[in-house]
Amino acid sequence: MDRAQSILRENGLKATKGRLEVLKLFIGAGRPIAQKEIMAMARLKLDRASVYRVLNAFLEAGIIHKAYMDGRHAVFELPDSCGEDHCHPHFSCRGCGATTCLKGMKVYSEGSPGKGFTMERQKVLIEGLCPRCSS
Amino acid sequence: MDRAQSILRENGLKATKGRLEVLKLFIGAGRPIAQKEIMAMARLKLDRASVYRVLNAFLEAGIIHKAYMDGRHAVFELPDSCGEDHCHPHFSCRGCGATTCLKGMKVYSEGSPGKGFTMERQKVLIEGLCPRCSS
DNA sequence: TTATCAATTGCAACATAGTTGCGTTTATGA
DNA sequence: TCATAAACGCAACTATGTTGCAATTGATAA
Ligand SMILES: [Mn+2]
Ligand SMILES: [Mn+2]
Ligand SMILES: [Zn+2]
Ligand SMILES: [Zn+2]
């Protein structure tokens, strides 16, 4: 039984063709991907609605999380270099739109959100210009 | 000449009724608002497309910025307690969906994104439960 | 292995955010 | 006041994501 299969098993999700395909794409990609990319990269034809349902199932199980919003669409990834309560930062290029995981950066917060707030996860997005677009 | 008018003047934007109305809403709100809210709060009838054009003009001029994405729609605010290169963090409640500006919190990032990256702005979103939804 | 049955899929219709073309209106400055 | 470029209203369009329903399929038990 391969890695994708056991992840689904562990999370009580039926190992359907579509789910295996999508999960393998995430494992292979090693970077955040969007629904559109998933459709494009998939070898077997997947229905748009089904891909969204797979993504939502993975989200609910915590297999993936929403890394950030790229304009109007969400981009997902496997948690990697992420703690329980924070994710690694992402860099979004204003020039070409490309996004980079900043797994080497750490983020510290000072002060508290206020009495009564329960913080569950912190997401950091840094905007700017990537090396190609800076020059 | 009131504040809204002079802001538009300073940024070389014609002081149209719609722009004045929207800008005054931002000034009065003191919190991030979305296009839908703007339409609802406005006294004079505004066209949807025109509101988006006003928002885009304000964005381009730097009068407002996109605070965060609330699900599928963008939420905008006047820069407040924001430096040149970073914005104050926002808290988004998983329970009720409400969002709070965390103007008292500071977030520092350690390490660099990598050679060649030009960082322009840092955005932080903290997810969790607000005081009402925590109890 | 085969039968069963709830979970999942594909399709189509829908919902919602945001953009764009075009003809009309309006703010500005001469 | 007038001329003009910018902005607006409207309607049509694009794109992301969701949902109802009938057909399919994966897990489990016989
Ligand atoms: Mn990442
Ligand atoms: Mn804010
Ligand atoms: Zn770039
Ligand atoms: Zn809440």
Side-chain angles (χ1 to χ4, degrees), chain A residues 69 71 91 94 105-111 115-118 120-121 123-129 131 134, chain B residues 69 71 91 94 105-111 115-118 120-121 123-129 131 134:
Chain A
M69 287 278 175
F91 186 94
R94 167 171 61 81
M105 282 187 79
K106 288 210 171 170
V107 177
Y108 301 97
S109 45
E110 183 185 288
K115 217 184 164 89
F117 285 93
T118 307
E120 290 176 347
R121 185 148 53 195
K123 290 181 179 176
V124 178
L125 182 63
I126 295 172
E127 298 170 336
L129 291 173
S134 281
Chain B
M69 286 280 176
F91 186 94
R94 166 170 62 82
M105 277 187 81
K106 289 209 170 171
V107 176
Y108 304 98
S109 38
E110 183 185 289
K115 218 187 165 89
F117 285 92
T118 308
E120 290 175 348
R121 185 149 54 196
K123 291 181 180 175
V124 179
L125 182 63
I126 296 172
E127 298 170 335
L129 291 174
S134 281

Side-chain angles (χ1 to χ4, degrees), chain A residues 52-64:
Chain A
Y52 280 113
R53 280 189 277 232
V54 167
L55 290 172
N56 286 330
F58 286 5
L59 276 177
E60 209 164 331
I63 296 173
I64 59 172

Side-chain angles (χ1 to χ4, degrees), chain B residues 25 34-42 44 46-48 51:
Chain B
L25 288 178
Q35 173 267 343
K36 214 175 177 180
E37 285 180 275
I38 290 170
M39 300 282 289
M41 298 185 334
L44 85 129
L46 299 171
D47 182 69
R48 226 160 51 85
V51 170

Side-chain angles (χ1 to χ4, degrees), chain A residues 30-32 65 67-68 77-78 80 82 87-90 100-103:
Chain A
R31 64 183 178 85
H65 62 96
Y68 54 91
E77 67 180 349
L78 299 175
D80 185 14
C82 297
C87 183
H88 60 262
H90 288 98
T100 315
C101 298
L102 304 176
K103 294 184 183 166

Side-chain angles (χ1 to χ4, degrees), chain A:
Chain A
M1 186 180 314
D2 68 357
R3 178 162 165 219
Q5 205 130 31
S6 53
I7 291 178
L8 294 179
R9 171 70 59 107
E10 283 164 26
N11 289 95
L13 294 174
K14 271 163 84 168
T16 64
K17 300 225 165 184
R19 286 179 178 169
L20 284 167
E21 174 95 4
V22 172
L23 185 45
K24 281 175 185 166
L25 288 178
F26 274 110
I27 292 172
R31 64 183 178 85
I33 49 181
Q35 173 268 342
K36 214 174 176 179
E37 286 180 274
I38 290 170
M39 301 282 289
M41 299 186 331
R43 323 184 100 252
L44 85 128
K45 275 180 198 67
L46 299 171
D47 182 69
R48 228 161 49 86
S50 302
V51 169
Y52 280 113
R53 280 189 277 232
V54 167
L55 290 172
N56 286 330
F58 286 5
L59 276 177
E60 209 164 331
I63 296 173
I64 59 172
H65 62 96
K66 213 176 278 189
Y68 54 91
M69 287 278 175
D70 186 11
R72 269 211 285 313
H73 62 273
V75 187
F76 308 89
E77 67 180 349
L78 299 175
D80 185 14
S81 309
C82 297
E84 281 289 300
D85 58 349
H86 65 275
C87 183
H88 60 262
H90 288 98
F91 186 94
S92 173
C93 178
R94 167 171 61 81
C96 63
T99 303
T100 315
C101 298
L102 304 176
K103 294 184 183 166
M105 282 187 79
K106 288 210 171 170
V107 177
Y108 301 97
S109 45
E110 183 185 288
S112 90
K115 217 184 164 89
F117 285 93
T118 307
M119 298 170 58
E120 290 176 347
R121 185 148 53 195
Q122 173 188 272
K123 290 181 179 176
V124 178
L125 182 63
I126 295 172
E127 298 170 336
L129 291 173
C130 78
R132 283 172 53 111
C133 297
S134 281
S135 52

